[in-house]
């Protein structure tokens, strides 16, 4: 009987293994119709069109819209912000409930079994972790390859104007949610906070495009926003909602979106982002209140504050500022080292290891899972147990058999002993951090145990980052920082011999310093740490260590997300241009490249030929003036040309131009015809079939060009061009010779208008109260 079961198990394993794709399968994987990434990584990136294309169709549609439509448009934005908050909140609750229950069952079963046999307990513990991690990596490699990693570098690139294909699809959302449950529940050295940011962005993007057409989950009444600019605002709300849901820190979510991911910010957007974060807070709070009644299994014992330090250290002395500053320096050094090590390992993975196919990705994740289980279970076995403190009767030490949390009795010979290394290692990450942050627990941990955990967990976090599973770095960073922060706190307690010094306070400062040294966030991270610990008195100290750790880290390399974005080939435009740009002009940046352009009335065959021979996404359109000179009349996008070629509705036999001053120009296309699906490849010239008769016809491009593209003189410094490009979110800028004449000058007062409801006209206000005319 046993032999038959073993044989069946082996045959099942062989069947599953045979269905895993190998390197040949991965190399043949292409983008599907929804623009999903190739299995071997990102296929490429493309710029987004944040600039409004003010062509003839756009102006005609704007002229037909009244104030009622404007109010409707604004109301829909607020309604979408509400939906984003509700959706992200429910996604966060689902992930948290699933992770806590999987982890709770795992530790409860393991603790129950080790009362009889530690070997059997280890096998059960490792098997559960391996099964959860395998489910996560299998989902990612087979269903949603774009859901691997934290997703923050890709979302930051999207909000910077770069679209990485596949990052905002419905399958990416599903893969992110269920992949995070497996990877975090499987005990890997990673967190769910980064993936929640990506999850919120996916929910916002799907709402903005009306759902997913491939999976028949779309509705036309949601398809209101047609421009990349509006979708960018929704994704910004989703990012803030993700942070607010992950840390239960709504204000921190708003500041995170402002400081870390967005490149353009407006006051109107601030209101909607704040509203979305507030909705998330209400949803999460309501769900946690419902879970406290015991409806959510192992989840529900916590509160809205994740790690409460309100009963911690009340005050600090001037002498403590020096060790706190040292914590900041350590955080900057370890954070910069973490960024550099993960950069090297991720580069090796992407260029060598992961090119061997999905089977290698699965083996790698499963191997790391086994190593993590061996370390977290095995190292506490070699640690000598400590006697329980008897100073505080309210402390439950040790925990009852089969329970996990603080003061864990693991491989101890006496009943009143606990294993301090198991208290950190053999625990969920949230509970381990809560133990490290805990007050009134002086001498709970030995320096040897903390140092052992720091070295091992730091190494695991470096190796785990970059595997083919959803992975966040917030919680691992807090784990690492709180460990060496508590180490410093132990030495401070012994050095100053003061009873009011809490080791948990130094653990909090260490966590803030490592995150600041790795991610280089300051304001948002400071507010997040205050919100999740409920201790406003520590705000000046958190600010101090963040400033020091960021300054130290900046001396060595860039932040974690910037380094990873560069490694993924995402060309981010940073807030400041390079110093070399000050010595260059716009003409020098263009080089000797030949400009591809179209005439106003162009032959269909010429359009198709140019689109096939180059990959430019924007083309100048020129025309002859009455005096015979060539003049630029605007810019036309590649995506618009493809729509015109596919529809064939604007083909004409005559090469004569349409009179744009006529009021009877037929409008054969609406703005929705030119909308590119979110994060997909869209139309391609290879998808369009043109007959020989079609190729002999003509198109008048004037009604479809953007007649007012941004133009700079050829001798403008590249620094000014860079600032203009980034601050306005542009995709193309024309470089032209110096203009021959000036027809007018606009000043600040020319831009101040006031609606006059009585006359229906617009009155221009000047500083003197009278109308000013330009001479």
């Amino acid at each position: 009987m046993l032999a038959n079961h073993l044989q069946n198990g082996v045959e099942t394993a062989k069947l599953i293994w045979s269905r895993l794709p190998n390197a040949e399968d991965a190399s043949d994987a292409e983008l599907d119709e929804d623009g999903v990434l190739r299995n071997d990584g990102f296929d490429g990136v493309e710029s987004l069109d944040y600039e409004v294309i003010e062509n003839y169709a756009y102006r005609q549609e704007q002229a037909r819209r009244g104030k009622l439509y404007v109010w409707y448009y604004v109301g829909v934005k607020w309604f979408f912000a509400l939906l984003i908050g509700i959706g992200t909140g429910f996604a966060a609750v689902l992930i948290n409930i699933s992770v806590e229950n999987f982890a709770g069952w795992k530790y409860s079963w393991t603790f129950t079994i080790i009362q009889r046999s530690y070997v059997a307990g280890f096998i059960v513990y490792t098997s559960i972790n391996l099964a959860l991690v395998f489910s996560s990596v299998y989902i990612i490699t087979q269903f949603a390859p774009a859901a691997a990693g934290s997703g923050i570098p890709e979302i930051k690139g999207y909000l910077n104007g770069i679209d990485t294909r596949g990052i905002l699809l419905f399958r990416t959302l599903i893969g992110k949610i269920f992949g995070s449950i497996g990877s975090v529940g499987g005990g890997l050295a990673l967190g769910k906070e980064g993936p929640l940011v990506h999850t919120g962005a996916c929910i916002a993007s799907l709402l903005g495009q009306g759902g997913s057409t491939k999976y028949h989950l779309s509705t036309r009444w949601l398809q209101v926003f047609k421009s990349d600019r509006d979708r960018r605002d929704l994704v910004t709300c989703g990012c803030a909602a993700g942070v607010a849901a992950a840390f239960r820190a709504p204000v921190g979510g708003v500041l995170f979106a402002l400081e870390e991911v967005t490149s353009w910010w407006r006051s109107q957007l601030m209101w909607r982002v704040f509203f979305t974060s507030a909705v998330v807070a209400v949803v999460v709070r309501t769900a946690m209140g419902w879970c406290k009644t015991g409806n959510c299994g192992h989840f529900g014992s916590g509160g809205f504050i994740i790690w409460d330090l309100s009963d911690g250290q009340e005050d600090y002395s001037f002498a403590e500022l020096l060790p706190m500053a040292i914590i900041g320096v350590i955080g900057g050094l370890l954070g910069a080292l973490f960024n550099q090590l993960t950069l090297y390992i991720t580069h090796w993975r992407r260029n060598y290891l992961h090119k061997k196919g999905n089977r290698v990705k699965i083996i790698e994740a499963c191997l790391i899972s086994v190593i993590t289980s061996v370390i977290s279970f095995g190292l506490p076995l070699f640690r000598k147990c400590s006697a329980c403190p008897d100073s505080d009767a309210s402390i439950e030490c040790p925990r009852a058999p089969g329970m996990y949390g603080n003061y864990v009795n693991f491989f101890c010979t006496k009943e009143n002993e606990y294993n301090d290394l198991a208290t950190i290692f053999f625990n969920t990450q949230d509970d381990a951090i809560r133990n490290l942050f805990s007050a009134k627990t002086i001498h709970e941990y030995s320096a040897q145990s903390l140092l052992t955990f720091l070295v091992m967990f730091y190494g695991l976090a470096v190796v785990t980052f970059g595997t083919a599973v959803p992975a966040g770095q917030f919680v691992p960073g807090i784990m690492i920082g709180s460990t060496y922060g508590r180490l410093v706190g132990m030495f401070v307690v012994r050095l100053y011999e003061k009873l009011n010094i809490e080791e948990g306070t130094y653990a909090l400062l260490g966590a803030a310093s490592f995150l600041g040294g790795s991610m280089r966030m300051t304001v948002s991270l400071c507010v997040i740490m205050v919100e999740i610990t409920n201790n406003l008195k520590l705000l000046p100290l958190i600010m101090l260590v963040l400033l020091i750790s960021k300054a130290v880290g900046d001396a060595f390399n860039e932040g974690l997300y910037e380094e990873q974005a560069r490694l993924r080939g995402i060309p981010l435009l940073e807030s400041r241009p390079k110093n070399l740009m000050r010595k260059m002009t716009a003409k020098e940046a263009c080089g000797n490249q030949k400009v591809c352009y179209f005439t106003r009335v162009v032959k269909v065959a010429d359009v198709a030929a140019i689109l096939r021979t180059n990959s430019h996404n924007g083309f100048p359109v020129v025309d002859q003036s009455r005096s015979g000179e060539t003049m630029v009349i605007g810019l036309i996008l590649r995506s618009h040309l493809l729509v015109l070629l596919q529809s064939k509705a604007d083909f004409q036999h005559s090469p004569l131009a349409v009179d744009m001053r006529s009021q009877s120009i037929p409008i054969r296309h609406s703005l929705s015809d030119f909308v590119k699906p979110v994060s997909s490849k869209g139309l391609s010239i290879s998808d369009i079939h043109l007959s020989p008769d079609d190729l002999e016809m003509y198109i008048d491009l004037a009604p479809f060009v953007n007649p007012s593209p941004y133009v700079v003189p050829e001798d403008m410094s590249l620094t000014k061009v860079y600032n203009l490009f980034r601050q306005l979110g542009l995709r193309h800028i024309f470089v032209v010779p110096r203009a021959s004449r000036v027809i007018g000058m606009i000043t600040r007062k020319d831009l101040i208008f006031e609606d006059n409801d009585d006359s229906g006209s617009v009155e221009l206000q000047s500083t003197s109260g009278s109308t000013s005319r330009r001479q």
Side-chain angles (χ1 to χ4, degrees), residues 12 350 424:
T12 304
R350 294 177 62 86
I424 318 174

Side-chain angles (χ1 to χ4, degrees), residues 321-357:
L321 295 181
L322 178 59
M324 292 176 180
I326 294 176
I327 289 179
V329 174
I330 296 174
L333 294 175
L334 291 181
L337 178 62
F338 182 87
N339 293 355
Q340 204 64 34
L341 291 177
T342 53
L343 181 65
Y344 290 149
I345 295 178
T346 306
H347 180 269
W348 174 75
R349 275 196 178 103
R350 294 177 62 86
N351 293 325
Y352 300 100
L353 184 63
H354 286 179
K355 284 186 176 295
K356 297 180 180 180

